């Protein structure tokens, strides 16, 4: 499902404000979302790209229609606090959880989810995202320790599939391979 035009505009504004040339921009898209064009992004990938822009120093202008914590937060089931903690851990807005609710249940807002199993599924989806982000951070840290800027630059890893940055099994295997390379270098 293509992203909203407003989100696409935000991405292009951030690119311009950060002064990224096309090669660096496309490299960022590939690294963060596994795509070469913003038109290929889905909602989750677009959010990850915008988060990366913010990490790089871009400061988005707050939207007058920004969706924050649900207005009925205190009346919602206890599970909502877990969702809030997960969002805070990843520095994601409530709009991200709302987008997941739309994608997973065709419900516009997390606050409108009524069934415990829906909230549990949303918590599980956020956990998967947390795990992907943590694994990607580990890969980046291990690459830095090995003195390479990306795992594709290492012998035997040149043929990583497109979108490997979003695939947990590949990320786990990369962490194992890079850890083994670190150990081999220390004992070699």
């Amino acid at each position: 499902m293509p992203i909203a035009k407003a989100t696409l505009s935000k991405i292009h504004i951030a690119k311009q404000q950060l002064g990224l040339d096309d090669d660096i921009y496309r490299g960022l898209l590939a690294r963060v979302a596994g795509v070469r064009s913003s038109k290929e992004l889905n909602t989750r990938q677009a959010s990850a790209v915008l988060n990366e822009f913010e990490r790089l120093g871009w400061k988005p202008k707050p939207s007058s229609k920004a969706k924050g914590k649900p207005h009925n937060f205190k009346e919602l089931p206890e599970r909502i606090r877990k969702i809030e903690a997960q969002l805070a851990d990843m520095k994601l807005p409530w709009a991200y959880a709302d987008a997941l609710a739309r994608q997973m249940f065709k419900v516009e807002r997390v606050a409108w989810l009524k069934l415990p199993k829906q909230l549990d599924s949303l918590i599980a989806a956020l956990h998967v995202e947390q795990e992907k982000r943590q694994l990607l951070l580990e890969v980046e840290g291990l690459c830095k320790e090995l003195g390479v800027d990306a795992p594709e630059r290492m012998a035997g890893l040149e043929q990583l599939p497109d979108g490997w940055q979003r695939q947990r099994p590949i990320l786990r295997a990369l962490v194992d391979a890079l850890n083994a390379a670190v150990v081999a270098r220390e004992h070699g």
Side-chain angles (χ1 to χ4, degrees):
M1 180 163 114
I3 59 174
K5 287 181 183 179
T7 303
L8 193 57
S9 294
K10 251 184 171 176
I11 289 170
H12 289 288
I13 288 167
K15 173 193 172 213
Q16 180 184 19
Q17 289 178 353
L18 287 170
L20 304 179
D21 68 30
D22 279 342
D23 289 339
I24 291 174
Y25 168 69
R26 293 196 188 287
L28 181 143
L29 289 177
R31 178 175 55 81
V32 173
V35 300
R36 297 291 293 168
S37 168
S38 58
K39 292 179 181 170
E40 299 172 34
L41 293 169
N42 63 31
T43 305
R44 186 177 297 154
Q45 292 167 320
S47 179
V49 168
L50 289 169
N51 285 334
E52 180 64 7
F53 285 149
E54 287 185 50
R55 189 184 74 74
L56 294 171
W58 177 63
K59 303 227 185 296
K61 292 182 181 173
S63 167
S64 58
K65 296 190 260 179
K67 299 170 193 119
K69 185 187 284 193
H71 71 284
N72 60 343
F73 183 83
K74 290 179 180 168
E75 289 84 45
L76 292 172
E78 186 61 33
R79 288 174 177 88
I80 202 75
R81 282 152 192 73
K82 172 69 175 171
I83 292 169
E84 180 182 40
Q86 289 175 300
L87 291 171
D89 178 63
M90 293 184 281
K91 297 176 179 55
L92 292 171
W94 278 95
Y96 184 87
D98 289 339
L100 280 177
R102 272 191 302 280
Q103 182 181 357
M104 295 170 69
F105 309 110
K106 310 296 184 244
V107 174
E108 198 63 26
R109 305 247 189 286
V110 172
W112 298 347
L113 295 176
K114 299 297 179 209
L115 302 175
K117 69 180 182 178
Q118 290 174 317
L119 292 170
D120 290 341
S121 294
L122 188 63
I123 288 167
L126 288 167
H127 176 75
V128 167
E129 182 62 25
Q130 281 177 301
E131 187 178 356
K132 286 178 189 176
R133 288 169 182 239
Q134 183 57 43
L135 288 167
L136 190 55
L137 281 173
E138 285 184 59
V139 167
E140 290 171 354
L142 289 165
C143 283
K144 188 175 184 179
E145 191 173 336
L146 291 165
V148 295
D149 60 349
E152 301 97 315
R153 304 244 193 282
M154 293 192 59
L157 298 177
E158 302 92 348
Q159 299 298 321
L160 289 172
D162 289 342
W164 64 265
Q165 301 91 335
R166 303 290 305 151
Q167 298 178 36
R168 283 186 301 168
I170 293 173
L171 288 167
R172 284 189 196 114
L174 274 174
V175 167
D176 291 344
L178 294 169
N179 271 320
V182 167
V183 169
R185 191 177 80 177
E186 289 172 354
H187 293 93

